[in-house]
Amino acid sequence: MSKSFDVIVIGGGPGGYVAAIRSAQLGFSVACIDAAQNAAGAPALGGTCTNVGCIPSKALLQSSEHFDHAHHHFAEHGINAAGVTMDVPKMLARKDGVVKQNNDGILYLLKKNKITFFHGLASFTGNADGLYQLAVKGKVNEAIAAKHVVIATGSNARVLPGAEFDELNVLSNDGALRVGAVPKKLGVIGSGVIGLEMGSVWRRLGAEVTILEAMPAFLGAADEGIAKEALKAFTKQGLKLEFGVKISEVKNGKKGVSVNYANAKGEAQTLDVDKLIVSIGRVPNTNGLNAAAVGLQLDERGAIVVNDHCQTNLPNVWAVGDVVRGPMLAHKAEEEGVAVAERIAGQHGHVNFNTIPWVIYTSPEIAWVGKTEQQLKADGIAYKAGQFPFLANGRARALGDTTGFVKILADATTDEVLGAHIIGPQASELIAELVMAMEFRASSEDIARICHAHPSLSESTKEAALAVDKRTLNF
Ligand code: FAD
Ligand code: NAI
């Protein structure tokens, strides 16, 4: 006789554990199953985000930024930090500690919300009498059942054919977060979010980093003005970026990795590196789920097919996060998890895809929400743009970080904010105000009339809003 629940959530990443908590808050009996384990074999809740994604990458970005500041910026403040060195194993141990705190925190949250946790791999075994049956294979094998199933099984790094990950020399995001010593030469394939963030970590620590990108242009999803400014800043820092390349062969040898490729002009090139990160996107993960047992529909990419409400082709089976369409972002997964739990409860949970913020945690940080200038042009929407540089912001000068700007795009007729783009210090925090403005359908004038603290970076947001009406006060 299997244990039965109202809701079973498969996956304990940001999509899954949040769906489980919200379901429990709404009064359901809930189980959450997650297969991830740490080096000691203990549960490692939090998914890609906590174990090999958002959290560890931000820990390493912070450590490497401190090191970079000590080397290049402390002297400006009169601080003599000559002879500062980097203890990479200690940095990695700190990162592992941060990950563990988050793993344990999520386990605590499941307990607090009276969610039954199963540590193991879940697969469908069938459905009968309105209940879906699942097998959990772990240290203990279980058979469980529920009326509703929420699938949040996430994604895995895409493999470049011929460059399979060994996590020693050819690294996915997982290996890239565990490099035990600073490589002299680091190659990165793909100049997307992981390539830029992980490339920045190891460049700051002293590696010579070359990024090879297939597309002819940089950061295609970002606003073109932002991408241009970012390329300028990263190149100045010493990141080498090549665009329009075609990789022909990756040789993983004893002494390192050789990448043969054609450059944008079609000329044959070789890049020899000690380590190679391959970050060319991620693929939805339905491994082990046994989708066929219940007839769960997948698309040609292997993603679970869902409608706008995260409903699959099966009644009462839902899917959220990286395993379905849409941006592969932790906060998108969380929003979908909440929306699904509320829909199961008969409420009207909804995710507004137009106000999901994007953040790239490089230095300068890059953040945006809504439409880019190129999208507005392509859609034939008349708009006004207002831009304000951090160079003219007192707080940015005091911080010693004046790269970049805030740009606000507003409808030419109604003045409604249609998009906002930031490159510069604390862009990840500054974007929140603009996400809220868009959620409340604010106009640029609404933002311009709000009192912002002085001196603060957020004054640049107010000034960018004033710039939409060509009336900045400080530029
Ligand atoms: P996941 O987090 O992948 O969780 C899925 C979980 O399900 C895993 O624990 C897995 O073990 C488990 N699982 C899978 N199949 C089964 C099964 N059959 N049975 C039981 N358990 C199963 N996003 C951001 O928003 N901000 C960032 O800064 C950011 N940084 C990132 C940095 C890196 C290096 C990477 C790789 C990703 C980053 N992301 C970031 C993306 C973010 O990690 C994902 O969008 C997010 O984790 C997706 O959440 P999820 O719940 O859909 O899936
Ligand atoms: P990505 O989609 O951001 O970038 C992949 C890049 O690789 C693209 O520029 C693509 O053109 C390029 N590429 C693809 N095939 C190639 C090839 N054969 N040769 C050379 N270049 C090639 O994917 P990435 O960086 O792997 O990250 C995966 C996802 O993880 C992101 O899209 C994002 O959703 C998430 N993530 C989010 C972060 C954040 O929110 N700060 C941080 C890191 C990851």
Side-chain angles (χ1 to χ4, degrees):
M1 181 72 186
S2 56
K3 293 176 190 161
S4 68
F5 299 87
D6 297 327
V7 180
I8 290 177
V9 181
I10 308 176
Y17 87 80
V18 167
I21 291 175
R22 186 71 189 115
S23 300
Q25 284 174 344
L26 289 163
F28 295 114
S29 65
V30 183
C32 180
I33 312 159
D34 190 80
Q37 55 182 34
N38 63 20
L45 277 157
T48 302
C49 172
T50 302
N51 293 304
V52 286
C54 326
I55 300 299
S57 60
K58 267 79 254 178
L60 295 189
L61 278 159
Q62 190 61 52
S63 301
S64 60
E65 191 163 12
H66 283 319
F67 184 71
D68 191 63
H69 277 217
H71 264 266
H72 301 294
H73 301 292
F74 276 13
E76 298 157 23
H77 297 264
I79 304 167
N80 180 4
V84 169
T85 58
M86 190 70 214
D87 181 341
V88 174
K90 193 158 185 184
M91 173 182 79
L92 297 182
R94 174 188 176 272
K95 178 257 307 176
D96 292 341
V98 173
V99 167
K100 176 100 179 24
Q101 280 171 7
N102 282 272
N103 294 147
D104 294 348
I106 297 166
L107 197 57
Y108 162 78
L109 289 173
L110 295 190
K111 273 190 197 136
K112 183 184 152 194
N113 286 284
K114 304 191 170 40
I115 294 161
T116 307
F117 172 60
F118 294 97
H119 190 206
L121 194 72
S123 55
F124 283 102
T125 51
N127 59 334
D129 306 325
L131 291 180
Y132 290 92
Q133 264 83 39
L134 291 152
V136 184
K137 287 208 173 98
K139 280 184 190 148
V140 180
N141 294 338
E142 303 267 1
I144 57 176
K147 179 175 177 193
H148 290 273
V149 179
V150 182
I151 304 169
T153 46
S155 63
N156 293 318
R158 182 188 300 283
V159 178
L160 180 70
E164 282 70 26
F165 301 117
D166 65 357
E167 304 298 4
L168 288 174
N169 290 333
V170 180
L171 313 171
S172 71
N173 55 296
D174 186 0
L177 291 158
R178 289 191 279 116
V179 180
V182 181
K184 196 162 173 300
K185 290 188 174 181
L186 174 70
V188 180
I189 301 183
S191 68
V193 203
I194 294 181
L196 290 173
E197 290 188 357
M198 295 315 302
S200 293
V201 165
W202 296 105
R203 180 203 57 75
R204 290 170 188 169
L205 299 180
E208 191 184 306
V209 180
T210 305
I211 304 184
L212 302 176
E213 167 59 49
M215 298 302 283
F218 184 45
L219 281 180
D223 185 89
E224 277 169 7
I226 296 279
K228 206 169 144 206
E229 183 80 3
L231 185 58
K232 207 167 71 186
F234 297 147
T235 308
K236 199 170 152 202
Q237 290 165 4
L239 269 187
K240 289 187 196 152
L241 285 135
E242 272 202 60
F243 299 100
V245 310
K246 198 166 185 315
I247 312 287
S248 47
E249 191 182 20
V250 174
K251 285 190 247 171
N252 184 356
K254 277 201 182 111
K255 287 194 179 152
V257 187
S258 284
V259 184
N260 294 330
Y261 65 99
N263 66 14
K265 292 183 196 149
E267 298 159 343
Q269 307 283 325
T270 301
L271 175 72
D272 291 315
V273 291
D274 303 301
K275 305 272 177 195
L276 179 74
I277 298 174
V278 179
S279 48
I280 57 170
R282 297 180 63 80
V283 286
N285 171 30
T286 51
N287 300 338
L289 210 51
N290 197 15
V294 283
L296 179 67
Q297 193 189 347
L298 310 181
D299 69 13
E300 64 287 351
R301 291 183 319 126
I304 297 175
V305 177
V306 289
N307 64 13
D308 288 350
H309 304 310
C310 294
Q311 284 169 309
T312 68
N313 65 313
L314 302 173
N316 301 332
V317 178
W318 313 73
V320 303
D322 282 11
V323 78
V324 304
R325 71 336 181 215
M328 289 185 171
L329 296 172
H331 41 283
K332 175 262 192 185
E334 291 182 24
E335 293 300 316
E336 286 183 334
V338 168
V340 160
E342 292 178 350
R343 287 205 160 255
I344 291 173
Q347 299 180 1
H348 299 281
H350 172 70
V351 180
N352 181 359
F353 273 69
N354 195 38
T355 52
I356 294 175
W358 274 87
V359 178
I360 307 178
Y361 294 81
T362 42
S363 176
E365 290 188 347
I366 298 168
W368 72 87
V369 58
K371 303 280 188 207
T372 60
E373 280 207 59
Q374 61 268 28
Q375 281 172 331
L376 291 173
K377 280 180 192 150
D379 295 348
I381 297 171
Y383 67 94
K384 300 173 285 179
Q387 190 165 313
F388 187 83
F390 285 110
L391 199 63
N393 175 279
R395 184 75 193 282
R397 288 193 198 120
L399 288 172
D401 195 353
T402 52
T403 311
F405 53 83
V406 179
K407 173 154 92 176
I408 294 178
L409 307 173
D411 188 284
T413 313
T414 63
D415 194 34
E416 179 175 347
V417 177
L418 302 175
H421 306 270
I422 309 176
I423 176 164
Q426 301 288 333
S428 56
E429 301 296 334
L430 293 173
I431 199 68
E433 175 183 5
L434 291 153
V435 173
M436 182 146 84
M438 283 187 62
E439 272 294 342
F440 290 173
R441 302 197 62 177
S443 63
S444 76
E445 189 180 352
D446 289 328
I447 300 172
R449 287 189 181 279
I450 292 169
C451 180
H452 288 70
H454 177 76
S456 71
L457 296 169
S458 71
E459 287 173 291
S460 299
T461 302
K462 179 189 173 98
E463 290 276 7
L466 284 166
V468 172
D469 195 33
K470 297 192 173 36
R471 56 187 179 98
T472 51
L473 296 165
N474 287 286
F475 188 62

